[in-house]
Amino acid sequence: MATALKLTLALVLIGSLLLAYLAPPPARAVDLRVRGAMVAIGLLCYGIAALALVSGSVVAGVLALTVASELVCAAGWLGRGDSPGTDEDEGGGGGGGGGRGPKPPPLDWDWDAFEASFRRYARDRDRQPI
């Protein structure tokens, strides 16, 4: 096997591992059955790679190992879409139910209407004595 091909495959595998563990999780959760199928096919490819390497077919074994590793990395990254959000304060206290938090307001927010409403509120609210 050529050295350039070995280096390319190594870079692809290292890049996949880094993306699977360090990239932000996907925006939507992927069904467990899809991820399970990806892992099962990956494990099957690991078995095929072992048989190919034992029989002396290096190129087929390396390709099967690459496919298996990519599938397992992708399934791991897709599995991160289910994980609940973390607390930003890291204080360890405080309840709350994790989750992803509220949706951001739409981009076409009417700031003039908001300011007018806020001024009305500030003017008409009940003021508490100090």
Side-chain angles (χ1 to χ4, degrees), residues 10-22 69-70 73-74 77:
L11 289 175
V12 166
L13 292 175
I14 290 171
S16 297
L17 286 170
L18 290 174
L19 284 175
Y21 290 106
L22 300 178
S69 299
E70 294 297 318
C73 284
W77 179 73

Side-chain angles (χ1 to χ4, degrees), residues 22-116:
L22 300 178
R28 293 183 298 158
V30 176
D31 190 32
L32 181 62
R33 288 177 284 194
V34 173
R35 296 187 324 248
M38 291 173 75
V39 170
I41 294 170
L43 291 175
L44 179 67
C45 286
Y46 279 129
I48 291 170
L51 289 175
L53 291 172
V54 167
S55 69
S57 180
V58 175
V59 174
V62 167
L63 289 177
L65 278 173
T66 303
V67 169
S69 299
E70 294 297 318
L71 283 171
V72 171
C73 284
W77 179 73
L78 291 172
R80 292 178 54 213
D82 305 270
S83 55
T86 59
D87 290 337
E88 296 291 328
D89 61 354
E90 295 187 22
R100 298 211 184 241
K103 288 185 177 181
L107 293 177
D108 58 345
W109 185 262
D110 186 5
W111 288 107
D112 293 331
F114 171 77
E115 286 181 11

